[in-house]
Amino acid sequence: MNLVALQTFLAIVRTGSLVRASAAMNVTQSTVTSRLQTLEAELGQTLVLRQKNGATLTAAGIKLRRYAEAMTQLWLQAKQETSLPPGVDAICNIGV
């Protein structure tokens, strides 16, 4: 499973369209379609129903969304923590 494919899937979910997802990610629509097809082939499930007025998630897509969000967030957290400058052991996030 490819992190970029999961990010592309989440962009489709956020925008509701493969065309808008491609614009948001600054890639071609064919790239978005290819990434989605690769992800669907790996899982053996159709994740998104493509229609003229947008894209909707299938039952499998709804299930994957939760995991895709968790995996991408975990990757960002791991990337952030492992790329700390020398001498810095941790970071503190404060939300308001």
Side-chain angles (χ1 to χ4, degrees):
M1 190 165 299
N2 184 322
L3 183 64
V4 175
L6 289 176
Q7 291 169 332
T8 302
F9 170 74
L10 290 174
I12 295 167
V13 170
R14 267 192 313 279
T15 62
S17 162
L18 276 71
V19 173
R20 289 189 296 267
S22 68
M25 297 186 77
N26 295 317
V27 296
T28 64
Q29 182 182 350
S30 62
T31 299
V32 169
T33 301
S34 175
R35 289 174 183 173
L36 179 60
Q37 288 174 339
T38 299
L39 187 58
E40 289 177 331
E42 286 180 16
L43 295 172
Q45 296 288 327
T46 300
L47 301 171
V48 176
L49 296 174
R50 300 149 185 90
Q51 301 162 343
K52 288 184 180 182
N53 59 347
T56 56
L57 294 178
T58 63
I62 292 168
K63 290 176 187 176
L64 178 64
R65 180 181 185 174
R66 178 171 52 118
Y67 294 108
E69 289 170 345
M71 286 187 280
T72 55
Q73 286 299 320
L74 187 59
W75 168 250
L76 290 174
Q77 184 180 354
K79 185 178 171 184
Q80 185 179 32
E81 288 184 18
T82 57
S83 64
L84 293 175
V88 178
D89 294 342
I91 59 173
C92 178
N93 293 320
I94 300 173
V96 178

Coordinates of all heavy atoms in Angstrom, one line a residue:
M1 N 0.8 -1.2 0.0 CA 0.0 0.0 0.0 C 0.9 1.2 0.0 O 1.9 1.3 0.7 CB -0.9 0.0 1.2 CG -2.0 1.0 1.1 SD -3.3 0.8 2.2 CE -4.0 -0.7 1.7
N2 N 0.5 2.2 -0.8 CA 1.3 3.4 -1.0 C 0.7 4.6 -0.3 O -0.5 4.8 -0.4 CB 1.3 3.6 -2.5 CG 2.2 4.8 -3.0 OD1 2.2 5.8 -2.3 ND2 2.8 4.6 -4.1
L3 N 1.5 5.3 0.4 CA 1.0 6.5 1.2 C 0.5 7.5 0.2 O -0.6 8.1 0.5 CB 2.2 7.1 2.0 CG 1.8 8.2 2.9 CD1 0.8 7.8 4.0 CD2 3.0 8.9 3.5
V4 N 1.1 7.7 -0.9 CA 0.6 8.7 -1.9 C -0.8 8.3 -2.4 O -1.7 9.1 -2.6 CB 1.6 8.9 -3.0 CG1 1.0 9.8 -4.1 CG2 2.9 9.5 -2.5
A5 N -1.0 7.0 -2.6 CA -2.3 6.5 -3.0 C -3.4 6.8 -1.9 O -4.5 7.2 -2.3 CB -2.3 5.0 -3.4
L6 N -3.0 6.6 -0.7 CA -4.0 6.9 0.4 C -4.2 8.4 0.5 O -5.4 8.8 0.7 CB -3.4 6.4 1.7 CG -3.4 4.9 1.9 CD1 -2.7 4.6 3.3 CD2 -4.7 4.3 1.9
Q7 N -3.2 9.2 0.3 CA -3.4 10.7 0.3 C -4.3 11.1 -0.9 O -5.2 12.0 -0.7 CB -2.1 11.4 0.3 CG -1.3 11.2 1.5 CD 0.1 11.7 1.4 OE1 0.7 11.7 0.3 NE2 0.7 12.1 2.5
T8 N -4.2 10.4 -2.0 CA -5.0 10.7 -3.2 C -6.4 10.3 -2.9 O -7.4 11.1 -3.2 CB -4.5 10.0 -4.4 OG1 -3.1 10.4 -4.6 CG2 -5.3 10.3 -5.6
F9 N -6.6 9.1 -2.3 CA -8.0 8.7 -1.9 C -8.6 9.7 -1.0 O -9.8 10.1 -1.2 CB -7.9 7.3 -1.2 CG -9.1 6.8 -0.6 CD1 -10.2 6.4 -1.3 CD2 -9.3 6.8 0.8 CE1 -11.4 6.0 -0.7 CE2 -10.4 6.4 1.4 CZ -11.5 6.0 0.6
L10 N -7.9 10.2 0.0 CA -8.4 11.2 1.0 C -8.7 12.5 0.3 O -9.7 13.2 0.6 CB -7.5 11.4 2.1 CG -7.4 10.2 3.1 CD1 -6.3 10.4 4.2 CD2 -8.7 9.9 3.7
A11 N -8.0 12.9 -0.7 CA -8.3 14.1 -1.5 C -9.6 13.9 -2.2 O -10.4 14.9 -2.3 CB -7.1 14.4 -2.4
I12 N -9.8 12.8 -2.8 CA -11.1 12.5 -3.5 C -12.2 12.6 -2.5 O -13.3 13.2 -2.8 CB -11.0 11.1 -4.2 CG1 -10.0 11.1 -5.3 CG2 -12.4 10.7 -4.7 CD1 -9.7 9.7 -5.8
V13 N -12.0 12.0 -1.3 CA -13.1 12.1 -0.3 C -13.4 13.5 0.1 O -14.5 13.9 0.2 CB -12.6 11.2 1.0 CG1 -13.6 11.5 2.1 CG2 -12.5 9.8 0.6
R14 N -12.3 14.3 0.4 CA -12.5 15.7 0.8 C -13.2 16.5 -0.3 O -14.0 17.3 0.0 CB -11.1 16.3 1.1 CG -10.7 16.3 2.5 CD -9.5 17.2 2.8 NE -8.4 17.1 1.8 CZ -7.5 16.1 1.8 NH1 -7.5 15.1 2.7 NH2 -6.5 16.1 0.8
T15 N -12.8 16.4 -1.5 CA -13.3 17.2 -2.6 C -14.5 16.7 -3.2 O -15.3 17.4 -3.9 CB -12.2 17.4 -3.7 OG1 -11.9 16.2 -4.3 CG2 -11.0 18.1 -3.1
G16 N -14.8 15.4 -3.1 CA -15.9 14.8 -3.7 C -15.8 14.6 -5.2 O -16.8 14.3 -5.9
S17 N -14.6 14.7 -5.8 CA -14.5 14.6 -7.2 C -13.0 14.3 -7.6 O -12.1 14.8 -6.9 CB -14.8 15.9 -7.9 OG -14.3 16.1 -9.1
L18 N -12.8 13.4 -8.6 CA -11.5 13.1 -9.0 C -10.8 14.4 -9.7 O -9.6 14.6 -9.5 CB -11.5 12.0 -10.0 CG -11.5 10.6 -9.4 CD1 -12.8 10.2 -8.7 CD2 -11.1 9.5 -10.4
V19 N -11.7 15.1 -10.4 CA -11.1 16.4 -11.1 C -10.7 17.4 -10.0 O -9.6 17.9 -10.1 CB -12.2 17.0 -12.0 CG1 -11.8 18.3 -12.5 CG2 -12.6 16.0 -13.1
R20 N -11.5 17.6 -9.0 CA -11.1 18.6 -7.9 C -10.0 18.0 -7.1 O -9.1 18.8 -6.7 CB -12.3 18.9 -7.1 CG -13.4 19.8 -7.8 CD -14.4 20.3 -6.9 NE -15.3 19.2 -6.3 CZ -16.4 18.8 -6.8 NH1 -16.9 19.3 -7.9 NH2 -17.1 17.9 -6.2
A21 N -9.9 16.7 -6.9 CA -8.8 16.1 -6.2 C -7.5 16.3 -7.0 O -6.4 16.7 -6.4 CB -9.0 14.7 -5.9
S22 N -7.5 16.2 -8.3 CA -6.3 16.4 -9.1 C -5.9 17.9 -9.0 O -4.7 18.1 -8.9 CB -6.6 16.0 -10.5 OG -7.5 16.8 -11.2
A23 N -6.8 18.8 -9.0 CA -6.5 20.2 -8.9 C -5.9 20.5 -7.5 O -4.9 21.2 -7.4 CB -7.7 21.1 -9.1
A24 N -6.4 19.9 -6.5 CA -6.0 20.1 -5.1 C -4.6 19.6 -4.9 O -3.8 20.1 -4.1 CB -6.9 19.5 -4.1
M25 N -4.2 18.5 -5.6 CA -3.0 17.8 -5.4 C -1.9 18.3 -6.5 O -0.8 17.8 -6.5 CB -3.1 16.3 -5.5 CG -4.0 15.8 -4.4 SD -4.0 14.0 -4.4 CE -2.4 13.7 -3.6
N26 N -2.4 19.1 -7.4 CA -1.5 19.6 -8.5 C -1.0 18.5 -9.4 O 0.2 18.4 -9.7 CB -0.4 20.5 -8.0 CG -0.9 21.8 -7.4 OD1 -1.8 22.4 -7.9 ND2 -0.4 22.1 -6.2
V27 N -1.8 17.5 -9.7 CA -1.5 16.4 -10.6 C -2.6 16.3 -11.6 O -3.6 16.9 -11.5 CB -1.3 15.1 -9.8 CG1 -0.1 15.2 -8.9 CG2 -2.5 14.7 -9.1
T28 N -2.3 15.5 -12.7 CA -3.4 15.3 -13.7 C -4.5 14.4 -13.2 O -4.3 13.6 -12.2 CB -2.8 14.7 -15.0 OG1 -2.3 13.4 -14.7 CG2 -1.7 15.6 -15.5
Q29 N -5.6 14.5 -13.8 CA -6.7 13.6 -13.4 C -6.4 12.2 -13.7 O -6.7 11.3 -13.0 CB -8.0 14.0 -14.2 CG -9.2 13.1 -13.8 CD -10.4 13.5 -14.6 OE1 -10.5 14.4 -15.3 NE2 -11.4 12.6 -14.4
S30 N -5.6 11.9 -14.8 CA -5.2 10.5 -15.1 C -4.3 10.0 -14.0 O -4.4 8.8 -13.7 CB -4.5 10.4 -16.4 OG -3.3 11.2 -16.4
T31 N -3.5 10.8 -13.3 CA -2.7 10.4 -12.2 C -3.5 10.0 -11.0 O -3.3 9.0 -10.4 CB -1.7 11.5 -11.8 OG1 -0.8 11.8 -12.9 CG2 -0.8 11.1 -10.6
V32 N -4.5 10.8 -10.7 CA -5.5 10.5 -9.6 C -6.2 9.2 -9.9 O -6.3 8.3 -9.1 CB -6.5 11.7 -9.4 CG1 -7.6 11.3 -8.5 CG2 -5.7 12.9 -8.9
T33 N -6.7 9.0 -11.1 CA -7.4 7.8 -11.5 C -6.5 6.6 -11.4 O -6.9 5.6 -10.9 CB -7.9 8.0 -13.0 OG1 -8.8 9.1 -13.0 CG2 -8.6 6.7 -13.4
S34 N -5.2 6.7 -11.9 CA -4.3 5.6 -11.8 C -4.0 5.2 -10.4 O -4.0 4.0 -10.0 CB -3.0 6.0 -12.5 OG -2.0 5.0 -12.4
R35 N -3.8 6.2 -9.5 CA -3.5 5.9 -8.1 C -4.7 5.2 -7.4 O -4.5 4.3 -6.7 CB -3.2 7.2 -7.3 CG -1.8 7.8 -7.7 CD -1.6 9.1 -7.0 NE -0.4 9.8 -7.4 CZ -0.1 11.0 -7.1 NH1 -0.8 11.7 -6.3 NH2 1.1 11.5 -7.4
L36 N -5.9 5.7 -7.8 CA -7.1 5.1 -7.2 C -7.3 3.7 -7.7 O -7.6 2.8 -6.9 CB -8.3 5.9 -7.5 CG -9.7 5.4 -7.0 CD1 -9.7 5.3 -5.5 CD2 -10.8 6.3 -7.5
Q37 N -7.1 3.5 -9.0 CA -7.2 2.1 -9.5 C -6.2 1.2 -8.9 O -6.5 0.0 -8.7 CB -7.0 2.2 -11.0 CG -8.2 2.8 -11.7 CD -8.0 3.0 -13.2 OE1 -6.9 3.0 -13.7 NE2 -9.1 3.1 -14.0
T38 N -5.0 1.6 -8.7 CA -3.9 0.8 -8.0 C -4.4 0.4 -6.6 O -4.2 -0.7 -6.2 CB -2.6 1.6 -8.0 OG1 -2.2 1.8 -9.4 CG2 -1.5 0.7 -7.3
L39 N -4.9 1.4 -5.9 CA -5.3 1.1 -4.5 C -6.5 0.1 -4.5 O -6.5 -0.8 -3.7 CB -5.7 2.4 -3.9 CG -6.1 2.4 -2.4 CD1 -4.9 1.9 -1.5 CD2 -6.5 3.8 -1.9
E40 N -7.4 0.3 -5.5 CA -8.6 -0.6 -5.6 C -8.1 -2.0 -5.9 O -8.6 -3.0 -5.4 CB -9.6 -0.1 -6.6 CG -10.3 1.2 -6.1 CD -11.3 1.8 -7.1 OE1 -11.0 1.6 -8.3 OE2 -12.3 2.4 -6.7
A41 N -7.1 -2.1 -6.8 CA -6.6 -3.4 -7.2 C -5.9 -4.1 -6.1 O -6.1 -5.3 -5.9 CB -5.6 -3.3 -8.4
E42 N -5.2 -3.4 -5.3 CA -4.5 -3.9 -4.1 C -5.5 -4.5 -3.1 O -5.3 -5.5 -2.5 CB -3.6 -2.9 -3.4 CG -2.3 -2.6 -4.2 CD -1.5 -1.5 -3.5 OE1 -1.7 -1.3 -2.3 OE2 -0.6 -1.0 -4.1
L43 N -6.6 -3.8 -2.9 CA -7.6 -4.2 -1.9 C -8.6 -5.1 -2.5 O -9.4 -5.8 -1.8 CB -8.3 -2.9 -1.4 CG -7.4 -2.0 -0.6 CD1 -8.2 -0.7 -0.2 CD2 -6.9 -2.6 0.7
G44 N -8.7 -5.2 -3.8 CA -9.7 -6.0 -4.5 C -11.1 -5.6 -4.3 O -12.1 -6.3 -4.3
Q45 N -11.3 -4.2 -4.1 CA -12.6 -3.6 -3.8 C -12.7 -2.3 -4.6 O -11.7 -1.6 -4.8 CB -12.8 -3.3 -2.3 CG -12.8 -4.5 -1.4 CD -14.1 -5.3 -1.6 OE1 -15.1 -4.8 -1.8 NE2 -13.9 -6.6 -1.4
T46 N -13.9 -2.0 -5.1 CA -14.2 -0.7 -5.6 C -14.4 0.2 -4.4 O -15.2 -0.1 -3.5 CB -15.4 -0.7 -6.5 OG1 -15.2 -1.6 -7.6 CG2 -15.7 0.7 -7.1
L47 N -13.6 1.3 -4.4 CA -13.7 2.3 -3.3 C -14.6 3.5 -3.6 O -15.2 4.1 -2.6 CB -12.3 2.7 -2.9 CG -11.3 1.6 -2.5 CD1 -9.9 2.2 -2.4 CD2 -11.8 1.0 -1.2
V48 N -14.6 3.9 -4.8 CA -15.3 5.1 -5.2 C -16.1 4.8 -6.4 O -15.7 4.2 -7.4 CB -14.3 6.2 -5.5 CG1 -14.9 7.5 -6.0 CG2 -13.4 6.5 -4.3
L49 N -17.4 5.3 -6.4 CA -18.3 5.3 -7.5 C -18.1 6.6 -8.3 O -18.4 7.7 -7.7 CB -19.7 5.1 -7.1 CG -20.0 3.7 -6.4 CD1 -21.5 3.7 -6.0 CD2 -19.8 2.6 -7.3
R50 N -17.6 6.5 -9.5 CA -17.4 7.7 -10.3 C -18.7 8.1 -11.1 O -19.2 7.2 -11.8 CB -16.2 7.5 -11.3 CG -14.9 7.1 -10.6 CD -14.1 6.2 -11.5 NE -12.9 5.7 -10.8 CZ -12.8 4.6 -10.1 NH1 -13.9 3.9 -9.9 NH2 -11.7 4.2 -9.6
Q51 N -19.1 9.3 -10.9 CA -20.3 9.7 -11.6 C -20.0 11.1 -12.3 O -19.0 11.7 -11.9 CB -21.5 9.8 -10.6 CG -21.8 8.5 -10.0 CD -22.6 8.7 -8.7 OE1 -22.7 9.8 -8.2 NE2 -23.2 7.6 -8.2
K52 N -20.9 11.5 -13.2 CA -20.7 12.8 -13.8 C -20.7 14.0 -12.8 O -19.9 15.0 -13.0 CB -21.7 13.1 -14.9 CG -21.6 12.2 -16.1 CD -22.6 12.6 -17.1 CE -22.4 11.7 -18.4 NZ -23.4 12.0 -19.4
N53 N -21.5 13.9 -11.8 CA -21.6 15.0 -10.8 C -20.7 14.8 -9.6 O -20.8 15.5 -8.6 CB -23.0 15.1 -10.3 CG -23.6 13.9 -9.7 OD1 -23.0 12.8 -9.8 ND2 -24.7 14.0 -9.0
G54 N -19.7 13.9 -9.7 CA -18.8 13.7 -8.6 C -18.5 12.2 -8.3 O -18.8 11.4 -9.1
A55 N -18.0 12.0 -7.1 CA -17.6 10.7 -6.7 C -18.2 10.4 -5.3 O -18.2 11.3 -4.4 CB -16.1 10.5 -6.6
T56 N -18.7 9.2 -5.1 CA -19.2 8.8 -3.8 C -18.5 7.5 -3.4 O -18.1 6.7 -4.2 CB -20.7 8.6 -3.8 OG1 -21.0 7.6 -4.8 CG2 -21.5 9.9 -4.2
L57 N -18.4 7.4 -2.1 CA -17.7 6.2 -1.5 C -18.6 5.0 -1.5 O -19.8 5.1 -1.2 CB -17.2 6.5 -0.1 CG -16.2 7.5 0.1 CD1 -15.9 7.7 1.6 CD2 -14.9 7.2 -0.6
T58 N -18.0 3.9 -1.8 CA -18.7 2.6 -1.6 C -18.6 2.2 -0.1 O -17.9 2.9 0.7 CB -18.1 1.5 -2.5 OG1 -16.8 1.3 -2.0 CG2 -18.1 1.9 -3.9
A59 N -19.2 1.1 0.2 CA -19.1 0.6 1.6 C -17.6 0.4 2.0 O -17.2 0.7 3.1 CB -19.9 -0.6 1.8
A60 N -16.9 -0.2 1.0 CA -15.5 -0.5 1.3 C -14.7 0.9 1.4 O -13.8 1.0 2.2 CB -14.9 -1.3 0.1
G61 N -15.1 1.9 0.6 CA -14.4 3.2 0.7 C -14.7 3.8 2.0 O -13.8 4.5 2.6
I62 N -15.9 3.7 2.5 CA -16.2 4.3 3.8 C -15.4 3.6 4.9 O -14.9 4.3 5.8 CB -17.7 4.1 4.1 CG1 -18.6 5.0 3.2 CG2 -18.1 4.4 5.6 CD1 -20.0 4.7 3.2
K63 N -15.2 2.3 4.8 CA -14.4 1.6 5.8 C -12.9 2.0 5.7 O -12.3 2.2 6.7 CB -14.5 0.1 5.7 CG -15.8 -0.5 6.0 CD -15.9 -2.0 5.7 CE -17.3 -2.5 6.0 NZ -17.4 -3.9 5.6
L64 N -12.4 2.1 4.5 CA -11.0 2.5 4.3 C -10.7 3.9 4.8 O -9.6 4.2 5.3 CB -10.6 2.3 2.8 CG -9.2 2.7 2.5 CD1 -8.2 1.8 3.2 CD2 -8.9 2.7 1.0
R65 N -11.7 4.8 4.7 CA -11.4 6.2 5.0 C -10.8 6.4 6.4 O -9.9 7.1 6.6 CB -12.7 7.0 4.9 CG -12.6 8.4 5.2 CD -13.9 9.2 5.2 NE -13.7 10.6 5.4 CZ -14.7 11.5 5.3 NH1 -15.9 11.1 4.9 NH2 -14.4 12.7 5.5
R66 N -11.4 5.7 7.4 CA -10.9 5.8 8.8 C -9.5 5.3 8.9 O -8.7 6.0 9.5 CB -11.9 4.9 9.6 CG -11.5 4.9 11.1 CD -12.6 4.2 11.9 NE -12.9 2.9 11.4 CZ -12.8 1.8 12.1 NH1 -12.3 1.8 13.3 NH2 -13.1 0.7 11.5
Y67 N -9.2 4.2 8.2 CA -7.8 3.7 8.3 C -6.8 4.6 7.5 O -5.7 4.8 7.9 CB -7.7 2.3 7.8 CG -8.5 1.3 8.6 CD1 -9.7 0.8 8.2 CD2 -8.0 1.0 9.9 CE1 -10.4 -0.1 9.1 CE2 -8.7 0.1 10.7 CZ -9.9 -0.4 10.3 OH -10.6 -1.3 11.1
A68 N -7.3 5.1 6.4 CA -6.4 6.0 5.6 C -6.1 7.3 6.3 O -4.9 7.7 6.3 CB -7.1 6.3 4.3
E69 N -7.0 7.8 7.0 CA -6.8 9.0 7.9 C -5.8 8.7 9.0 O -4.9 9.4 9.2 CB -8.1 9.5 8.4 CG -9.0 10.2 7.4 CD -10.4 10.5 7.9 OE1 -10.8 10.0 8.9 OE2 -11.1 11.3 7.2
A70 N -6.0 7.6 9.6 CA -5.1 7.2 10.7 C -3.7 6.9 10.2 O -2.7 7.4 10.9 CB -5.7 5.9 11.4
M71 N -3.6 6.2 9.1 CA -2.2 5.9 8.6 C -1.5 7.1 8.1 O -0.3 7.3 8.4 CB -2.3 4.9 7.4 CG -2.7 3.5 7.9 SD -2.6 2.2 6.6 CE -4.2 2.5 5.8
T72 N -2.2 8.0 7.5 CA -1.5 9.3 7.0 C -1.1 10.1 8.2 O 0.0 10.7 8.2 CB -2.3 10.0 6.0 OG1 -3.6 10.3 6.6 CG2 -2.5 9.3 4.7
Q73 N -2.0 10.2 9.2 CA -1.6 11.0 10.4 C -0.4 10.4 11.1 O 0.4 11.1 11.6 CB -2.8 11.1 11.3 CG -3.9 12.1 10.8 CD -3.4 13.5 10.7 OE1 -2.6 14.0 11.5 NE2 -3.7 14.1 9.6
L74 N -0.4 9.1 11.2 CA 0.7 8.4 11.9 C 2.0 8.6 11.2 O 3.0 8.8 11.8 CB 0.3 6.9 12.1 CG 1.3 6.0 12.9 CD1 1.4 6.6 14.3 CD2 0.9 4.6 12.9
W75 N 1.9 8.6 9.8 CA 3.1 8.8 9.1 C 3.6 10.2 9.3 O 4.8 10.4 9.5 CB 2.8 8.6 7.6 CG 4.0 9.1 6.7 CD1 4.0 10.2 5.9 CD2 5.3 8.6 6.7 NE1 5.2 10.4 5.3 CE2 6.0 9.4 5.8 CE3 6.0 7.5 7.3 CZ2 7.4 9.2 5.5 CZ3 7.3 7.3 7.0 CH2 8.0 8.1 6.1
L76 N 2.7 11.2 9.3 CA 3.2 12.6 9.5 C 3.8 12.7 10.9 O 4.8 13.4 11.1 CB 2.0 13.5 9.4 CG 1.4 13.7 8.0 CD1 0.2 14.6 8.0 CD2 2.5 14.3 7.1
Q77 N 3.2 12.1 11.9 CA 3.7 12.1 13.3 C 5.1 11.5 13.3 O 6.0 12.0 13.9 CB 2.8 11.5 14.2 CG 3.2 11.6 15.7 CD 2.3 10.9 16.6 OE1 1.2 10.4 16.2 NE2 2.6 10.8 17.9
A78 N 5.3 10.3 12.7 CA 6.6 9.6 12.7 C 7.6 10.5 12.0 O 8.7 10.6 12.4 CB 6.4 8.3 12.0
K79 N 7.2 11.1 10.9 CA 8.1 11.9 10.1 C 8.6 13.1 10.9 O 9.8 13.5 10.9 CB 7.4 12.4 8.8 CG 8.3 13.2 7.9 CD 7.5 13.5 6.6 CE 8.2 14.5 5.7 NZ 7.4 14.9 4.6
Q80 N 7.6 13.7 11.6 CA 7.9 14.9 12.4 C 8.9 14.5 13.6 O 9.8 15.2 13.8 CB 6.6 15.5 13.0 CG 6.8 16.8 13.7 CD 5.5 17.4 14.2 OE1 4.6 16.6 14.5 NE2 5.4 18.7 14.3
E81 N 8.6 13.4 14.3 CA 9.4 13.1 15.4 C 10.8 12.6 15.0 O 11.7 12.8 15.8 CB 8.7 12.0 16.2 CG 7.5 12.6 17.0 CD 6.8 11.6 17.9 OE1 7.4 10.6 18.2 OE2 5.6 11.9 18.2
T82 N 10.9 11.9 13.9 CA 12.2 11.4 13.5 C 13.1 12.4 12.8 O 14.3 12.2 12.7 CB 12.1 10.2 12.6 OG1 11.3 10.6 11.4 CG2 11.4 9.0 13.3
S83 N 12.5 13.6 12.5 CA 13.3 14.6 11.8 C 13.6 15.8 12.7 O 13.9 16.9 12.2 CB 12.6 15.1 10.5 OG 11.4 15.7 10.9
L84 N 13.6 15.5 14.0 CA 14.0 16.6 14.9 C 15.5 16.9 14.8 O 16.3 16.0 14.5 CB 13.6 16.2 16.4 CG 12.2 16.0 16.7 CD1 12.0 15.5 18.1 CD2 11.4 17.3 16.5
P85 N 15.8 18.2 15.0 CA 17.2 18.5 14.9 C 18.0 17.9 16.0 O 17.5 17.5 17.1 CB 17.2 20.0 15.0 CG 15.9 20.5 15.4 CD 14.9 19.3 15.2
P86 N 19.3 17.7 15.8 CA 20.2 17.1 16.9 C 20.1 17.9 18.2 O 20.0 19.1 18.2 CB 21.6 17.3 16.3 CG 21.4 17.4 14.8 CD 20.1 18.1 14.6
G87 N 20.0 17.2 19.3 CA 19.9 17.8 20.6 C 18.4 18.0 21.1 O 18.2 18.2 22.2
V88 N 17.5 17.8 20.2 CA 16.0 18.0 20.5 C 15.5 16.6 20.6 O 15.5 15.8 19.6 CB 15.3 18.8 19.5 CG1 13.8 18.9 19.8 CG2 15.9 20.2 19.4
D89 N 14.9 16.2 21.7 CA 14.4 14.9 21.9 C 12.9 14.8 21.7 O 12.3 13.7 21.4 CB 14.7 14.4 23.4 CG 16.2 14.2 23.6 OD1 16.9 14.1 22.6 OD2 16.6 14.2 24.8
A90 N 12.2 15.9 21.9 CA 10.7 15.8 21.8 C 10.2 17.2 21.4 O 10.9 18.2 21.5 CB 10.1 15.4 23.1
I91 N 8.9 17.2 21.0 CA 8.3 18.5 20.8 C 7.0 18.5 21.5 O 6.5 17.5 22.0 CB 8.0 18.6 19.3 CG1 7.1 17.5 18.7 CG2 9.2 18.8 18.4 CD1 6.6 17.7 17.3
C92 N 6.5 19.7 21.8 CA 5.2 19.9 22.5 C 4.3 20.6 21.6 O 4.6 21.7 21.1 CB 5.5 20.6 23.8 SG 4.0 21.0 24.7
N93 N 3.1 20.0 21.4 CA 2.1 20.6 20.6 C 1.0 21.2 21.5 O 0.5 20.5 22.4 CB 1.4 19.6 19.6 CG 2.4 19.2 18.6 OD1 3.1 20.0 18.0 ND2 2.3 17.9 18.3
I94 N 0.7 22.5 21.3 CA -0.3 23.1 22.2 C -1.5 23.5 21.2 O -1.3 24.2 20.3 CB 0.2 24.3 22.9 CG1 1.4 23.9 23.8 CG2 -0.8 25.0 23.7 CD1 2.1 25.0 24.5
G95 N -2.7 23.1 21.6 CA -3.8 23.5 20.8 C -4.7 24.4 21.6 O -4.8 24.3 22.8
V96 N -5.2 25.4 20.8 CA -6.1 26.4 21.5 C -7.4 26.4 20.7 O -7.5 26.3 19.6 CB -5.4 27.8 21.4 CG1 -6.3 28.8 22.0 CG2 -4.1 27.7 22.1

